Amino acid sequence: QELSNMADNMLMWLWSMLLLVSTYSTDVEMQSITNVLHQGEGNCTGMDCRRTRCGDVCKETDCSHFGNVCAGGVSVPLATGWQYSSVFKVPPYGSAFTPDNATIFYYFNLIAKGQFVPQLTLGNGLCNSTGPPQFNCSGCGGTTTKAKQWFMQAQYFWTGHDPSDEKEYNAVRNGRPWYERHNTGVNSDNTCHVIAGDLIPVDPGESIITTFTLDKAQMWHVSIKSADTQKESRITVKEPFMEENQTWPDSVGVGVCMEVDNLMNRDYYPPTCPPITVTIKAPEGTADSWQKPWHITENPSCVFGPNATKVKSIASKLTSTTTIQYMWP
């Protein structure tokens, strides 16, 4: 009987140990998974580092490629006499933003055989050009990565259609050529080109005005200006892709974006974003059927992106006004 009791006690002790080991193993496994999920939140200082350390699982938890938010999805007539403009304030800085390896582009743009994009840039972006005749893209040369500082700059950007070359134009994805704007290397099939205005520092809270006009000579005039300092970056573009045999289309795509790269957690984003108001005005005599409501065209899928963004369009005589408010849940 005593031997039987000892055997029963031993079995109970072994069962308890197995349960303890099993629980410990599960806790360790879950902690390991948690550590992997959070490696992108500050333990790495760059996309290559983060991808090496935590692999594909990070793609669902950071905003490197999944944090953009865009609105628009409509086209409007393109002709002399039409006015396209936006007003907004420079957002505050995210407390964790690192300008040497992260990027935010903030803009209202037109898509018409390329991208007209007078924009704000924060961090490691594209802001230089080799100039004529090729207008090849180049980086900012460290100008924008030394400190946490917003810059404004007018740009006309295109890819895959070299000036004075017969290559066919490759349309940009969703009107937003993300890959080329972040990877400025040149190759024979998809060369990046840009006409860039002055790069001007601006501070949070400044009121920004962007304007686009097409004159009677079919030349574009594009501007981004601080209403507070009156400083202005502007460009003129005389023909699509800077080729004499090209003409502008009859309509233009319109939209806004907060386009991001390498944002590792919520604090990389601005804590809040002031609304952007876009106004499009038609010349006298234009029928009012052209006004269409905007909608979200790209929503962030990362867990801390502004995926509660709101869009409201109002049509009135000769005018379409849309307000975009980037928001978090």
Side-chain angles (χ1 to χ4, degrees):
Q1 182 65 38
E2 290 181 2
L3 289 174
S4 177
N5 289 339
M6 289 177 62
D8 289 343
N9 290 336
M10 181 62 72
L11 286 173
M12 292 181 63
W13 180 83
L14 287 172
W15 180 248
S16 299
M17 290 299 100
L18 286 172
L19 287 175
L20 181 62
V21 170
S22 176
T23 302
Y24 175 77
S25 298
T26 301
D27 289 344
V28 169
E29 182 179 358
M30 291 303 298
Q31 184 61 48
S32 177
I33 293 172
T34 302
N35 289 340
V36 168
L37 289 173
H38 290 285
Q39 278 182 357
E41 300 183 2
N43 293 333
C44 278
T45 56
M47 185 170 61
D48 292 340
C49 168
R50 189 172 66 257
R51 292 286 182 255
T52 299
R53 292 179 61 175
C54 60
D56 289 344
V57 70
C58 277
K59 293 180 180 179
E60 299 304 321
T61 60
D62 68 52
C63 281
S64 180
H65 301 289
F66 300 92
N68 304 314
V69 56
C70 302
V74 301
S75 295
V76 298
L78 190 166
T80 301
W82 284 75
Q83 300 175 30
Y84 319 85
S85 64
S86 73
V87 294
F88 55 91
K89 290 185 180 295
V90 180
Y93 298 119
S95 60
F97 187 87
T98 52
D100 60 321
N101 63 6
T103 311
I104 299 177
F105 295 114
Y106 202 88
Y107 57 80
F108 163 49
N109 70 164
L110 306 185
I111 304 298
K113 289 190 175 181
Q115 180 189 32
F116 291 93
V117 55
Q119 66 185 3
L120 298 183
T121 299
L122 180 64
N124 188 16
L126 159 67
C127 60
N128 283 327
S129 169
T130 60
Q134 294 299 314
F135 300 98
N136 289 336
C137 298
S138 61
C140 299
T143 303
T144 64
T145 60
K146 294 177 181 177
K148 196 183 294 187
Q149 175 70 59
W150 285 105
F151 290 86
M152 66 177 180
Q153 185 180 46
Q155 293 185 3
Y156 169 58
F157 177 93
W158 74 99
T159 63
H161 200 289
D162 296 333
S164 303
D165 198 345
E166 296 182 355
K167 295 177 182 177
E168 294 184 0
Y169 171 62
N170 294 327
V172 294
R173 179 174 62 90
N174 293 331
R176 201 183 44 71
W178 183 91
Y179 179 81
E180 293 81 4
R181 283 155 61 83
H182 290 274
N183 298 272
T184 57
V186 174
N187 61 64
S188 60
D189 296 322
N190 206 20
T191 305
C192 160
H193 304 281
V194 66
I195 296 174
D198 293 337
L199 186 68
I200 301 172
V202 291
D203 295 319
E206 284 190 50
S207 295
I208 302 298
I209 303 170
T210 67
T211 59
F212 310 74
T213 56
L214 184 69
D215 67 22
K216 293 181 179 179
Q218 296 297 291
M219 181 178 293
W220 277 103
H221 302 266
V222 181
S223 164
I224 181 167
K225 179 179 181 179
S226 169
D228 297 291
T229 67
Q230 299 301 305
K231 292 181 179 180
E232 182 180 21
S233 177
R234 58 184 180 272
I235 58 172
T236 57
V237 181
K238 62 180 182 179
E239 56 227 352
F241 318 125
M242 299 307 289
E243 292 189 352
E244 294 181 359
N245 63 339
Q246 294 283 342
T247 58
W248 300 111
D250 295 329
S251 63
V252 59
V254 293
V256 301
C257 275
M258 178 162 51
E259 180 186 348
V260 306
D261 181 41
N262 219 25
L263 304 194
M264 299 183 189
N265 59 49
R266 171 64 181 90
D267 292 334
Y268 275 65
Y269 279 100
T272 59
C273 290
I276 300 175
T277 299
V278 175
T279 303
I280 301 172
K281 292 185 177 181
E284 289 291 338
T286 303
D288 280 334
S289 60
W290 59 271
Q291 299 100 326
K292 305 296 181 184
W294 290 29
H295 57 271
I296 298 294
T297 56
E298 186 170 358
N299 218 12
S301 59
C302 68
V303 295
F304 49 82
N307 52 23
T309 293
K310 297 184 181 300
V311 181
K312 183 179 182 181
S313 296
I314 299 175
S316 57
K317 182 176 175 57
L318 301 176
T319 304
S320 172
T321 303
T322 299
T323 300
I324 301 91
Q325 178 70 70
Y326 297 131
M327 297 179 68
W328 285 259

